Amino acid sequence: MSQVADGQRLFVGGEWVEPGGGHYAVTDPATEETVGWAPEASRDQVAAACAAAREALGPWSRTPPAERAAVLGRAADIIGTHFAPYAELARAETGATTGTARAMQVGVGMARFRRYARVEPAEWAIAPQINEAGPMGKAGVMGALAVRQPVGVVTCITSYNNPWANPAGKIAPALAMGNTVVVKPAPQDPLSVYRMAEALEAAGVPPGVVNVVCGQSASVGEAAVESADVDMVSFTGSTAVGQRIAAVCGRDMKRQLMELGGKGAALVLDDADLASAVTGIGTTFSFYSGQICTAPTRVLAQRGVYDRLVEQVAAYASRLKVGNPREPDTVVGPVISAAHRDGVESYVELGRKEGAVVVTGGERPPSERGFYVAPTLLADCTNDMRVAREEIFGPVVVVVPFDDEDEGVALANDSDYGLIDYVWSGDVARAFRVARRLRAGGVGVNTVGRNMEAPFGGFKRSGVGRDVGSYALHAYSEVQAIVWPG
C-alpha cells in the first residue's frame, strides 16, 4: 500500500518504500490543519529512483506506442473513478476552490492523460531531393525519414499551484514518447501526485517507469537533477530556481524544458470592450488566488479608458467573496502558506512606498485561520516600480497608463519576462497587429482562455522550450534522421 498510518510512502522502482528522512506535515492553507504526512526522501533514495528509471528505459522505450498509450488511457479512467476524493485532496492541499480543484486540477490532469493516449506518428517522410556531390560520392537523390526517439530518463519537477494538471502535462507526453520519469512534486502539495502514481500503477505501468520522490529539503530536487542517470529536466517554477537547474543541465548537456515566471502584460486599448477586459483581468484574483504565472497581473491601459478601467476592476475585485474554498460561493481562496502571504503583503506595502495608489484591497481579510490575501488593485503605477516588474504570485494587479499604441507595446516588452501577454481591442486587426509585436510566448486577443493544442512556453526569463499538445511530444523526444539512396 502507498499509505500507512504514519504517512505517505515514496514510489521507487515499482515499490512503495518508507522515506529515509521521515515525514512532514502537509497543511491546508484554508484551515491550517494537517491534510496528511508527506515523505522526505534521502539522496540515496532519489539516486535509487533515477537508477530504476534508467533500468526501465530500454524495455519501456521498445514497448509499442499503442501499448504505452493504452496505459495512459487506463490511468485516465482510474482517475475518473476516484474523481471526487482526488479533487477534495487537491482542494485541501492547495486551497483552491472546489470548482477549480475539480475542473482545472483533476479534470485537466485526467484530460491530459487522455490526450496523450491518442497515438500519433513518431516518424515522417522528408521530401527527396538532389544532393550536391560529397566526399563519399557523386550527387544523387537521397531519401530521408525523421524519427522521434525518446530522450531517456526525465526528471519532472512540478509547481505547487496545480498538483494534477502540471505533473500530468509532463508525465503523460514523456511516457507516450517512451521515456521514463522521476517526479519530484512541490513540497507544499505532493500527496496528489502519489494518487496519480497509484493510478498509473493500477493501469499497468511497469516498475521503474514512473517514480515519485519528494521532500522539503532542496537536496531532493538537486539529487534528481544532478544524477548521471537523468537525460532531461522538465521544470515548472520560479526563474531563480530554473536558472540554477539550467546551470547544472548545461554542465552535463542535459535537455531542458523550463516553464518559469511571468508578469503578463494586459494591453487595454482605447477601443476595447471594457467588460470583457475587466472579466479577463479579474481572473488574476480568482484563479488560484493569483498564484499562476499566466495571469494578466500588469495592466497597461490607454489613457482614454484608464480611469474607467481602474474603477471597474476595483468594483469587480470588491465584489469577490474571499473565504473558505469549500463554500460554493467562495471565489478567492487562500494563498499556499503563511510565508507566501507575508511576501505578497510586503509587495503591496512596497507599492505604497513606491507611489502606487491602493484602490481596493491592501488589508488582510478578517479570518481566524487560513492564509488569505484580499484582491488588491494598485493604480497610478509606473513600469519601473518593483511591483510592476517582479512576479508577486498573488491576487494583486498593477495598472500603468500609456498614451499611444507604440508606447503600450514598448512598456509591455520592457520586462524580464515574456510568458503570456494579452491585448483587448474592438478592432481585431489592430489587436493582432499589436500581438505580433509583443515579445511573449503566447498572446491572448480579447481573451484569457487557452488552446490546449497551442505551443506553451516563454521568451526571455520566462523559460526555454515549448510543450502542450503535439509540441510536448517533440519536447520529450530527440529527432533522428535516417537517410538512404533514393
Side-chain angles (χ1 to χ4, degrees):
M1 295 179 62
S2 69
Q3 298 182 82
V4 293
D6 294 332
Q8 174 67 53
R9 290 188 172 113
L10 304 166
F11 190 51
V12 177
E15 301 290 337
W16 295 96
V17 300
E18 289 292 341
H23 292 86
Y24 65 91
V26 175
T27 301
D28 183 334
T31 64
E32 302 183 47
E33 297 174 352
T34 297
V35 176
W37 296 90
E40 183 78 34
S42 68
R43 288 188 71 97
D44 286 345
Q45 287 176 317
V46 178
C50 296
R54 172 61 58 186
E55 183 177 356
L57 176 62
W60 179 249
S61 65
R62 293 190 294 270
T63 298
E67 292 184 24
R68 299 196 298 255
V71 171
L72 299 178
R74 290 194 296 270
D77 292 341
I78 292 166
I79 292 168
T81 63
H82 297 85
F83 190 89
Y86 285 173
E88 174 55 24
L89 175 60
R91 188 219 54 73
E93 284 193 288
T94 65
T97 63
T98 298
T100 295
R102 292 177 67 88
M104 302 307 298
Q105 295 188 347
V106 182
V108 172
M110 183 170 61
R112 286 181 168 172
F113 277 102
R114 292 199 196 283
R115 162 64 180 86
Y116 295 105
R118 301 202 306 266
V119 179
E120 295 187 6
E123 57 190 44
W124 60 96
I126 297 172
Q129 64 182 52
I130 298 176
N131 291 348
E132 296 180 359
M136 302 304 292
K138 58 186 179 180
V141 177
M142 300 293 291
L145 195 67
V147 180
R148 286 199 298 247
Q149 299 277 18
V151 178
V153 176
V154 183
T155 287
C156 302
I157 303 179
T158 65
S159 59
Y160 70 72
N161 58 347
N162 197 324
W164 278 92
N166 186 256
K170 299 178 186 296
I171 296 168
L175 296 187
M177 279 309 308
N179 302 281
T180 57
V181 298
V182 177
V183 186
K184 192 276 175 186
Q188 296 93 333
D189 53 6
L191 299 178
S192 290
V193 182
Y194 287 100
R195 303 292 80 73
M196 191 181 300
E198 288 176 351
L200 284 161
E201 181 188 31
V205 72
V209 171
V210 175
N211 306 270
V212 184
V213 293
C214 70
Q216 291 181 303
S217 171
S219 65
V220 177
E222 290 169 356
V225 170
E226 295 168 355
S227 170
D229 286 314
V230 170
D231 302 292
M232 174 180 173
V233 177
S234 176
F235 172 71
T236 299
S238 72
T239 295
V241 175
Q243 288 172 317
R244 295 199 295 272
I245 292 173
V248 175
C249 291
R251 289 197 298 269
D252 296 327
M253 299 304 294
K254 295 180 180 181
R255 172 77 75 87
Q256 305 168 44
L257 180 59
M258 299 280 180
E259 197 269 281
L260 307 177
K263 191 71 175 179
L267 276 81
V268 183
L269 302 176
D270 52 12
D271 59 352
D273 178 343
L274 287 191
S276 173
V278 169
T279 300
I281 293 163
T283 62
T284 299
F285 306 126
S286 58
F287 197 36
Y288 300 124
S289 302
Q291 299 168 111
I292 184 165
C293 52
T294 59
T297 56
R298 184 170 57 112
V299 177
L300 308 176
Q302 199 160 7
R303 290 193 187 275
V305 295
Y306 177 84
D307 290 338
R308 285 181 291 148
L309 183 72
V310 169
E311 179 183 357
Q312 291 180 31
V313 173
Y316 182 98
S318 66
R319 292 194 297 267
L320 302 178
K321 180 185 174 182
V322 181
N324 191 324
R326 287 190 180 90
E327 298 176 3
D329 58 342
T330 293
V331 179
V332 183
V335 296
I336 194 67
S337 67
H340 189 57
R341 177 187 58 191
D342 292 346
V344 173
E345 290 176 339
S346 71
Y347 267 111
V348 175
E349 183 58 31
L350 174 63
R352 283 194 177 99
K353 293 178 179 177
E354 290 181 312
V357 175
V358 180
V359 182
T360 190
E363 297 180 355
R364 184 176 298 183
S367 178
E368 293 183 2
R369 303 184 70 80
F371 313 126
Y372 295 97
V373 176
T376 299
L377 181 66
L378 302 178
D380 295 347
C381 297
T382 58
N383 215 42
D384 59 349
M385 292 179 177
R386 285 180 58 192
V387 291
R389 303 198 69 82
E390 299 177 11
E391 187 176 37
I392 298 173
F393 220 59
V396 179
V397 170
V398 304
V399 190
V400 178
F402 69 91
D403 289 311
D404 57 32
E405 190 175 296
D406 287 343
E407 183 187 9
V409 170
L411 288 171
N413 290 335
D414 180 19
S415 173
D416 292 334
Y417 299 106
L419 187 57
I420 305 290
D421 285 346
Y422 305 88
V423 180
W424 271 275
S425 171
D427 183 340
V428 174
R430 181 190 189 194
F432 270 81
R433 181 180 70 242
V434 170
R436 291 294 299 271
R437 297 176 65 189
L438 299 177
R439 296 286 296 166
V443 181
V445 172
N446 294 328
T447 184
V448 292
R450 289 265 306 279
N451 181 322
M452 300 310 291
E453 288 296 312
F456 180 70
F459 289 14
K460 298 181 279 187
R461 294 190 180 184
S462 285
V464 176
R466 297 292 183 272
D467 68 355
V468 181
S470 61
Y471 295 89
L473 298 175
H474 288 281
Y476 292 97
S477 62
E478 297 283 11
V479 178
Q480 178 186 61
I482 300 176
V483 299
W484 63 91

